[in-house]
Amino acid sequence: MSKFSGRLVLFGGPVLILGAFILLFAVLFSTAPEPERGEVEARPVAVFVTEAEARPVQLTVNTQGEVRPLTEISLTAQVSGRIDYVDPNFVQGGFFEAGQTLVRVEDDDYRLAVTRAEALVSQRRQQLLLEEAEGDLAREEWESLGEGEASALTLRQPQMEDARAQLAAAEASLAEARLNLRRTRISAPFDGRVRSKNADLGQFVGAGSELGEVFSTDEVQIRLPLTDAQLGKLGIPLAFQAGDSEGPTVLLRAMLAGEPREWTGHVVRTDSAINPQTRTLYAIVSVEDPYGSGAEEAGAPLAIGLFVDAFIEGREISQAYILPRSALRGNDTVYVAEEDGTLSVRTVSVIDSNAEEVVVANGVEEGERVITSPVRAAADGMPVTPLGPDGEPLDGLADSDASSADQPEGEDSASVASAG
């Protein structure tokens, strides 16, 4: 065998063997039977549902505000002098009645001024009587001796006018002296409480000195901010004034002394303008006698400065649907489990919502089953298995169907699995 033939056998043999294997693989692949294609059946998703029920709904607006006094003033001295009396209730937090003397300025000088003014009035009155008598005498003399019409000076009319003027001035001085004497006793024209005290016994005060701050306990008010949407729920005009009739009822809540308390008030009016910073309109709520009858319901007074949650009674909707908050997807979407076992995506009109419930006007019908549990990749026509509140399948489905169904994600998934 030649050298060339040996090399051909050495390199050609493996190539022939590889080609034979490739040819055999191609023949086997081309003659192999094709596998039958099977259709994958979608398994229904187990979901919790609640039945939509139409009923009248009373809308409620929730907001917050601070309790403020209706009337609050500064007690100010109108005369000067030394304080010689302070009422025991004139202390921070003290109660007082209308007209009760809280502070008294020493009045000896003012009593003397009254005495002097009374004496002057008596003197001026005597002068007027003397001038009137002189005038009568002059008239009689003129009528008996004179001819024609007597002049005003002859009849002493200017002298009498001057005497009357001096008497009026003396009486005015007496009224002023008596007024200053009354002003030595400082009081408030309403029942109330003392917020602060700035003067005390023995202190000299001048006219205009501030002695303290007091507020009325007859009524308190709370200013509550309202957005445009909240005004729509209340159904009141921008320029609302309750007048003789009561405005919307307001339930006020707060934690006081470690216990929840509730008070009842009414909206009496709205502010005259919208706040330019917050773009809200304030409603004014009034609570009468917050330290008396207004405190009986809560068992505690509605204290000034307390921050309260307010729930205002709004419009009444004749027919709406109240659903769990978990039923709402996004801003205006809910899922409904149809009678044929499929999912339907619905768009609803949301009237109101909070952390627990959502109120919708339309988009669902009476008796329809609204899905409340999470659904992954929801789409119209998706097969679902509706479950009741107890986790049992509805429509007479077998327990095995629910147990074999895919479980929804989220907190309810464990419940669905255990129910299956």
Side-chain angles (χ1 to χ4, degrees):
M1 181 181 296
S2 66
K3 188 174 182 180
F4 176 75
S5 300
R7 288 181 178 179
L8 182 62
V9 173
L10 179 63
F11 292 102
V15 173
L16 292 175
I17 294 173
L18 179 61
F21 273 110
I22 293 174
L23 180 62
L24 179 62
F25 178 78
V27 172
L28 292 176
F29 181 79
S30 61
T31 59
E34 294 186 1
E36 295 183 3
R37 296 181 177 273
E39 295 185 0
V40 179
E41 183 178 354
R43 305 177 69 85
V45 177
V47 293
F48 283 102
V49 297
T50 185
E51 193 171 284
E53 179 183 357
R55 58 177 175 174
V57 175
Q58 180 75 58
L59 298 181
T60 301
V61 172
N62 179 216
T63 181
Q64 297 174 320
E66 181 183 352
V67 181
R68 300 179 181 178
L70 173 64
T71 305
E72 184 172 17
I73 62 172
S74 295
L75 280 183
T76 305
Q78 292 181 278
V79 295
S80 60
R82 184 178 63 87
I83 297 176
D84 66 353
Y85 171 78
V86 175
D87 191 278
N89 289 325
F90 187 58
V91 291
Q92 188 170 352
F95 286 86
F96 60 86
E97 297 179 355
Q100 179 180 341
T101 300
L102 300 176
V103 177
R104 185 181 66 204
V105 175
E106 193 173 40
D107 60 1
D108 293 345
D109 292 340
Y110 299 97
R111 291 184 182 277
L112 292 175
V114 170
T115 302
R116 285 195 295 267
E118 288 175 343
L120 182 60
V121 167
S122 180
Q123 181 182 351
R124 299 306 185 197
R125 187 174 287 119
Q126 291 297 326
Q127 289 179 354
L128 177 59
L129 292 175
L130 179 60
E131 289 296 337
E132 288 177 344
E134 294 278 353
D136 292 341
L137 181 58
R139 183 179 296 279
E140 291 176 1
E141 289 179 354
W142 177 261
E143 290 177 352
S144 60
L145 301 175
E147 294 181 358
E149 186 175 351
S151 65
L153 187 60
T154 300
L155 299 179
R156 300 186 64 84
Q157 289 180 355
Q159 291 86 340
M160 285 189 288
E161 291 296 331
D162 180 63
R164 290 192 184 98
Q166 292 189 33
L167 175 59
E171 289 176 339
S173 296
L174 176 59
E176 182 182 13
R178 288 174 175 170
L179 180 60
N180 287 336
L181 179 60
R182 289 197 300 271
R183 285 174 173 172
T184 59
R185 297 175 178 271
I186 302 166
S187 61
F190 48 74
D191 296 344
R193 296 192 72 180
V194 179
R195 182 188 282 272
S196 64
K197 175 183 177 182
N198 302 332
D200 215 332
L201 188 66
Q203 181 176 343
F204 183 88
V205 295
S209 298
E210 186 176 312
L211 308 180
E213 293 183 347
V214 297
F215 60 85
S216 170
T217 55
D218 296 336
E219 183 180 350
V220 295
Q221 293 188 343
I222 304 98
R223 298 179 74 245
L224 301 175
L226 299 174
T227 64
D228 184 69
Q230 290 174 326
L231 283 171
K233 294 177 186 178
L234 292 180
I236 62 175
L238 293 180
F240 175 74
Q241 181 77 34
D244 297 333
S245 60
E246 289 186 340
T249 302
V250 183
L251 180 64
L252 304 170
R253 293 177 180 171
M255 290 295 295
L256 194 61
E259 296 184 15
R261 311 281 184 173
E262 291 185 354
W263 301 267
T264 302
H266 295 87
V267 176
V268 293
R269 66 182 182 280
T270 57
D271 266 359
S272 58
I274 295 175
N275 188 300
Q277 281 76 37
T278 61
R279 310 310 304 170
T280 57
L281 182 70
Y282 282 85
I284 312 301
V285 175
S286 172
V287 179
E288 296 183 354
D289 197 13
Y291 289 86
S293 60
E296 293 177 357
E297 180 180 350
L302 185 57
I304 301 298
L306 186 65
F307 200 75
V308 296
D309 290 314
F311 300 87
I312 310 174
E313 184 181 85
R315 294 186 296 116
E316 184 173 346
I317 307 299
S318 59
Q319 179 173 309
Y321 302 90
I322 299 181
L323 305 173
R325 186 63 177 81
S326 58
L328 185 64
R329 322 288 169 152
N331 295 326
D332 58 357
T333 303
V334 298
Y335 301 154
V336 174
E338 299 284 6
E339 293 292 337
D340 59 359
T342 60
L343 182 146
S344 174
V345 180
R346 306 284 184 85
T347 299
V348 296
S349 298
V350 179
I351 301 175
D352 192 15
S353 66
N354 54 45
E356 299 177 355
E357 295 178 334
V358 58
V359 181
V360 300
N362 52 46
V364 295
E365 299 294 338
E366 177 82 15
E368 286 191 321
R369 294 167 176 170
V370 180
I371 299 173
T372 59
S373 57
V375 181
R376 180 183 299 175
D380 275 315
M382 169 188 261
V384 292
T385 300
L387 305 179
D390 56 358
E392 293 296 326
L394 302 178
D395 297 332
L397 295 176
D399 290 347
S400 58
D401 293 340
S403 62
S404 61
D406 293 339
Q407 305 304 324
E409 63 176 355
E411 296 181 355
D412 292 328
S413 300
S415 301
V416 175
S418 61

